[in-house]
Amino acid sequence: MADVSGRAAAGGRERGQVLLVGGLAVAVAFVALALVLNSVIFTENLATRDATSTLESGVEGRAAADDLIAGTVRRINVDNEANATHATLASDLRDATGRWADFRTRQAATGGGSTALAVDSAVPGWRIRQTNASRNFTAGGSIAGQDTWRLAAGVPETAVFEMNLSRSSLSTAAAGTTRAAATEEAFHVAVDEPGASGFWRVYIFQGATTQQTYLLVEEPDEEFQDNVGVTHAEWATTACGRVNLDHVRVDVDDALMAGQPCQELRFFQSLNESYDVYYNDTMEDVLSDGPRVRGTYELFVNTSTVDHTPYYAMADGRSPFTQTAISTAFATYGHETDRVDYEAAFESHPARVSLQRGVNPEFDTTRTSYTDNGDGSYTVDWRVTDDDGDLAQIDVYLYYNDSTTDGWVEIDNETDSTIGGPSASGSTSVSGTLVDGTEVTLYATVQDDNGGGDTWIETDEVD
Amino acid sequence: MRSTRHPAPDLGRLVTDERGVSTTVGYVLSLGVATLLLTGLLLAAGNFMADQREGASRTELRVVGQQLASDLAGADRLAQAADDGSVTVRRSLPPRVVGSAYTIRIDQGGAVTDGYVITLEAENGVTATARFTAETDVATPTSLTGGDVVISYDTDGSAVLEVTNA
């Protein structure tokens, strides 16, 4: 029999061949395991890479292009003091976006990509404006003085409709009067919507004793005058506004009154195309009694033409007047990298931002805040700015919610009319006797010499 | 009486003492124990290897699925940001995972509205899924293989997100 013990052969040097083979097999297994783990490492490396940055940069670029065009159009419209033609405004827009597009292209090239932005078309529009805060709302131009008149016809889509009204000029509703009586001779905005059975009417007036401003909306199939049963208690507690301010801002398209949401105005956002807008009853029946409303307003219409009959030329320096503007712009944004080819055509809606921003004062919301002093008083630290440098006055009000009427009642207000120039800051304290758990609203308004304004609102609960 | 003293064991002689030793038995024992040891080691290593391969396959399929899902969600955001336009997204996926080819299938599904499910299955039987949501319609069902894929969208065409192999 073969001697496999290995003791006799060659002095015992030939040993462990089986172990050697086994060790080799285990080594091969480890190598294979290393290959498998290498695949796992590769996969984990793939998983930790930023996989979507190039896609997100396309979305960000598209949003940046929209912001650029919206901001540029707004600035072109606001700075259009020369009342340039629509073609000139469109050319200015293309020049401005072209410079930005060049910059973005160079920036994208550093990362191996490319971008492009081109304005395809600029839709013409018109700003119908009254900037004289002391003027009534009668027509101007060749029908100057007419108290019921049409502002615009065939409006496809209203972008901005804002009014800054002088409360003291509004018609008054006696205490306890019914809705029919309160609105019978009040100034109102009338909207003739295609297909509607009548007019939408937005009545704005003040309370004779409360000196609060009220806004009521009559629907087309409603007739306030035919329904004399709506009592003062019913309408006065549900009307929009109910604030005691010297100037009241009504954002019709945004459905806001004095900065507060006004549900009744939301009809304006869903009107059928091609509607007409009127001012009705802007003067007392006896003309010597004066107007029912004074203030400033702006109606922006995205039509290429308007009827200039009730308006003065802008160069005349009188209100109301019309001014050329860009309504919306259509553009195409392109973005290319090694992984993404993206082209997006979009419509930029700059006029949805209030065009009066830039000439109206604004609160710097990042530097305006309030402090609850704990003794029923609040201190509002405010900062305001005004691009055209004519700040006039800041008012701070403290309201509490009267649970019995569910209405806001003013308990204190402070006015600072020493502010001026392009910016101002300060602190104003208001106080009142308040019960724990009472809801309070701090309300601040800033105005400039043009009657423009902005509001700041915060609510709190007394504890 | 004579005392009997046992001599001290001579250890050196034990090594050369072959009484009670069978070469065959020794051989069988050595070989058998070594075989058992090696068999156990190889079996354990083999099982370990198989588990690692399966785990690696599943992990890699999951990563591939998540990458494809994120690209589809990103393409959806690009498409939603355009009133009109086109989107093309290219992604290089590994053609094989741990040496196995795999297939990708995209279907509608999931518990959320506008939800889709991506199912990946390797040749070795390992599967993984990934989910995403998209407001833009995605062409389903779609079947792909690993490798380069292209996600495309064009408002002038079908206006849906289509995924194809490049």
Side-chain angles (χ1 to χ4, degrees):
Chain A
M1 184 163 39
D3 179 3
V4 298
S5 67
R7 280 182 294 218
R13 290 193 294 273
E14 296 177 4
R15 294 180 181 274
Q17 292 174 348
V18 173
L19 288 176
L20 182 65
V21 170
L24 189 64
V26 172
V28 168
F30 280 128
V31 169
L33 182 63
L35 289 173
V36 170
L37 292 180
N38 184 59
S39 174
V40 173
I41 291 169
F42 173 70
T43 304
E44 297 291 341
N45 179 268
L46 274 183
T48 55
R49 288 182 195 171
D50 185 4
T52 60
S53 62
T54 53
L55 274 68
E56 293 307 318
S57 63
V59 176
E60 288 164 4
R62 152 73 177 84
D66 192 358
D67 289 344
L68 166 82
I69 292 176
T72 304
V73 169
R74 190 178 73 204
R75 180 49 57 188
I76 287 173
N77 287 341
V78 168
D79 290 346
N80 183 23
E81 294 299 320
N83 201 22
T85 64
H86 287 113
T88 302
L89 298 180
S91 174
D92 291 345
L93 175 61
R94 287 193 169 89
D95 287 346
T97 54
R99 287 192 290 275
W100 180 87
D102 289 344
F103 164 73
R104 288 284 294 201
T105 299
R106 283 194 293 275
Q107 189 182 41
T110 61
S114 74
T115 63
L117 175 64
V119 173
D120 299 323
S121 64
V123 178
W126 288 90
R127 299 174 67 187
I128 296 169
R129 304 174 62 192
Q130 171 156 302
T131 56
N132 182 351
S134 60
R135 190 183 182 278
N136 57 49
F137 278 21
T138 57
S142 56
I143 57 170
Q146 192 168 308
D147 78 321
T148 293
W149 57 287
R150 186 172 63 190
L151 276 74
V155 180
E157 182 186 88
T158 296
V160 173
F161 187 11
E162 296 178 356
M163 297 180 285
N164 280 298
L165 311 174
S166 165
R167 179 196 53 77
S168 60
S169 66
L170 297 172
S171 59
T172 54
T177 191
T178 62
R179 185 181 65 182
T183 58
E184 186 176 11
E185 294 184 348
F187 155 73
H188 60 277
V189 178
V191 179
D192 187 11
E193 179 186 21
S197 56
F199 285 74
W200 293 90
R201 299 183 191 276
V202 181
Y203 293 93
I204 305 175
F205 53 94
Q206 64 171 323
T209 53
T210 64
Q211 293 192 327
Q212 291 185 343
T213 307
Y214 300 98
L215 185 150
L216 293 172
V217 174
E218 179 185 282
E219 298 182 10
D221 54 358
E222 224 179 347
E223 279 287 347
F224 283 177
Q225 300 308 311
D226 290 345
N227 190 351
V228 298
V230 178
T231 63
H232 179 272
E234 288 172 316
W235 68 262
T237 55
T238 58
C240 291
R242 293 180 283 142
V243 291
N244 189 334
L245 297 170
D246 290 337
H247 289 84
V248 177
R249 181 167 168 166
V250 182
D251 285 298
V252 182
D253 57 293
D254 285 337
L256 296 172
M257 182 173 181
Q260 300 275 17
C262 178
Q263 187 74 17
E264 298 193 39
L265 285 175
R266 293 178 72 88
F267 77 93
F268 212 80
Q269 299 165 355
S270 56
L271 290 169
N272 293 328
E273 283 191 12
S274 194
Y275 57 88
D276 300 347
V277 181
Y278 298 81
Y279 279 160
N280 283 16
D281 296 335
T282 59
M283 298 292 288
E284 295 288 352
D285 288 341
V286 178
L287 294 181
S288 60
D289 289 344
R292 289 177 175 153
V293 60
R294 293 184 197 273
T296 62
Y297 59 84
E298 175 165 343
L299 172 63
F300 187 103
V301 293
N302 57 339
T303 56
S304 57
T305 59
V306 292
D307 179 6
H308 295 277
T309 303
Y311 305 112
Y312 299 106
M314 187 175 172
D316 290 351
R318 291 185 290 175
S319 288
F321 61 92
T322 55
Q323 184 180 13
T324 54
I326 297 175
S327 168
T328 61
F330 291 89
T332 302
Y333 173 75
H335 179 85
E336 282 187 33
T337 66
D338 60 330
R339 284 220 305 131
V340 178
D341 292 331
Y342 178 49
E343 186 175 281
F346 61 94
E347 181 180 356
S348 184
H349 296 275
R352 295 196 190 283
V353 178
S354 170
L355 290 170
Q356 292 194 6
R357 302 241 165 95
V359 297
N360 273 6
E362 287 183 324
F363 277 96
D364 182 346
T365 55
T366 62
R367 292 160 72 173
T368 299
S369 61
Y370 73 94
T371 305
D372 180 356
N373 300 319
D375 57 357
S377 70
Y378 290 83
T379 300
V380 178
D381 297 304
W382 47 265
R383 186 173 189 277
V384 292
T385 59
D386 190 1
D387 283 1
D388 57 354
D390 59 353
L391 285 168
Q393 177 177 313
I394 184 165
D395 301 274
V396 179
Y397 300 84
L398 177 64
Y399 289 83
Y400 79 95
N401 191 323
D402 184 344
S403 56
T404 56
T405 63
D406 195 28
W408 291 96
V409 179
E410 179 190 323
I411 53 177
D412 193 17
N413 74 79
E414 295 290 334
T415 297
D416 181 350
S417 54
T418 65
I419 63 173
S423 69
S425 61
S427 292
T428 303
S429 292
V430 286
S431 62
T433 303
L434 298 165
V435 176
D436 284 356
T438 303
E439 276 187 271
V440 296
T441 294
L442 285 161
Y443 190 98
T445 66
V446 58
Q447 299 171 53
D448 65 5
D449 291 335
N450 285 328
D454 192 19
T455 57
W456 172 90
I457 303 171
E458 288 287 346
T459 58
D460 194 16
E461 187 173 302
V462 179
D463 55 19
Chain B
M1 207 166 164
R2 290 175 64 190
S3 61
T4 306
R5 294 184 64 191
H6 296 283
D10 184 353
L11 293 176
R13 291 176 57 192
L14 278 177
V15 173
T16 57
D17 190 350
E18 296 183 354
R19 292 177 295 171
V21 174
S22 166
T23 304
T24 305
V25 172
Y27 173 75
V28 169
L29 279 176
S30 300
L31 215 58
V33 169
T35 302
L36 280 174
L37 178 65
L38 290 171
T39 303
L41 275 177
L42 288 173
L43 276 176
N47 287 338
F48 181 68
M49 284 290 304
D51 288 345
Q52 288 300 308
R53 284 175 64 91
E54 188 175 321
S57 294
R58 185 168 293 110
T59 301
E60 194 159 350
L61 284 177
R62 196 174 295 140
V63 168
V64 168
Q66 293 293 342
Q67 288 188 328
L68 185 59
S70 74
D71 279 351
L72 280 162
D76 172 53
R77 286 191 293 276
L78 288 171
Q80 289 297 311
D83 298 337
D84 226 354
S86 64
V87 179
T88 304
V89 178
R90 292 175 285 275
R91 165 67 74 174
S92 289
L93 301 174
R96 304 172 83 83
V97 290
V98 196
S100 294
Y102 62 97
T103 59
I104 304 169
R105 185 177 169 85
I106 304 173
D107 293 287
Q108 281 189 323
V112 297
T113 310
D114 298 330
Y116 295 88
V117 178
I118 301 174
T119 306
L120 302 97
E121 184 172 356
E123 279 180 341
N124 57 13
V126 176
T127 62
T129 59
R131 297 174 190 277
F132 68 99
T133 60
E135 289 188 29
T136 311
D137 290 336
V138 179
T140 56
T142 295
S143 291
L144 309 162
T145 58
D148 294 341
V149 298
V150 175
I151 302 168
S152 56
Y153 169 85
D154 195 334
T155 53
D156 289 339
S158 58
V160 298
L161 284 168
E162 295 177 345
V163 189
T164 54
N165 283 115

